[in-house]
Amino acid sequence: MRFKFPMQKVLEHRKVVENLAQKDFQDAVAVLNEFQEKLDKMNQEILEAQARTGSLLQAGGAQGPALSQIHEFLKGQKIRILQQEQKIQEIEKIVEYKREILRQAALEYKIMEKVRENKFEEYKAERKIQDQKENDEQAILRFKKNS
């Protein structure tokens, strides 16, 4: 007699739910990383613009229009950075929500897995008792046969 877990379908379903939650979480993290990289690029562009400003100031001469253009770029870039940071905060909330869903799905799967392990241990104990009874019975039959 083989061990058959009566709630195997539930266990498999919970594993599928956990896998889907893991995929959703990873997708959300990927989006967060993408937005974070975009923010880093924006910050890098600010540093480059500031470096250009410094080199223009050192060069001297009539650099007014170029400096004005860089100044306007910096103002606009700071606004875009603030908007990007807000988007990142929203995505971080989504990531945390998906992390909680994943944690819950993993917990439910582990609970079901533990139930399966407990049932298997019960099965092994029952099987051991039954095997012992069969061995005892065979020993008694052999003893009677030899007597």
Side-chain angles (χ1 to χ4, degrees):
M1 187 167 113
R2 218 182 98 196
F3 173 71
K4 183 160 175 66
F5 183 53
M7 295 172 29
Q8 185 65 31
K9 293 284 184 188
V10 174
L11 179 68
E12 291 168 1
H13 173 72
R14 288 191 178 176
K15 186 62 178 174
V16 168
V17 168
E18 180 185 13
N19 289 341
L20 290 174
Q22 178 71 31
K23 184 187 178 311
D24 286 347
F25 174 71
Q26 289 173 346
D27 291 346
V29 168
V31 169
L32 177 63
N33 289 339
E34 180 182 315
F35 275 70
Q36 190 65 44
E37 288 173 12
K38 189 174 180 181
L39 178 64
D40 293 343
K41 184 179 176 190
M42 289 175 168
N43 285 323
Q44 184 63 35
E45 289 171 351
I46 282 184
L47 293 175
E48 291 169 2
Q50 289 171 340
R52 280 195 311 268
T53 301
S55 65
L56 288 174
L57 288 174
Q58 285 180 351
Q63 303 295 337
L67 290 173
S68 171
Q69 185 180 14
I70 291 173
H71 179 71
E72 290 301 315
F73 170 76
L74 290 173
K75 283 190 344 187
Q77 193 71 345
K78 287 179 182 178
I79 292 170
R80 285 190 290 277
I81 286 174
L82 288 174
Q83 292 172 343
Q84 188 70 11
E85 287 173 345
Q86 289 173 347
K87 289 178 187 175
I88 287 174
Q89 287 175 352
E90 292 171 10
I91 293 171
E92 284 174 341
K93 289 177 186 175
I94 292 170
V95 167
E96 284 304 313
Y97 175 72
K98 299 219 181 224
R99 179 178 286 131
E100 182 59 30
I101 290 173
L102 173 60
R103 190 193 65 75
Q104 188 64 33
L107 181 66
E108 289 175 2
Y109 175 74
K110 286 183 181 185
I111 288 170
M112 191 55 63
E113 184 66 26
K114 188 68 175 168
V115 168
R116 181 186 172 284
E117 289 174 11
N118 290 341
K119 292 287 186 184
F120 184 66
E121 291 300 319
E122 288 175 18
Y123 167 78
K124 286 190 336 189
E126 289 175 16
R127 187 73 188 152
K128 185 176 180 180
I129 290 170
Q130 192 162 353
D131 287 347
Q132 187 62 41
K133 283 181 183 178
E134 288 175 8
N135 290 339
D136 290 347
E137 221 174 277
Q138 288 177 359
I140 291 172
L141 290 174
R142 273 191 232 125
F143 179 74
K144 285 184 178 178
K145 189 177 186 181
N146 291 339
S147 296

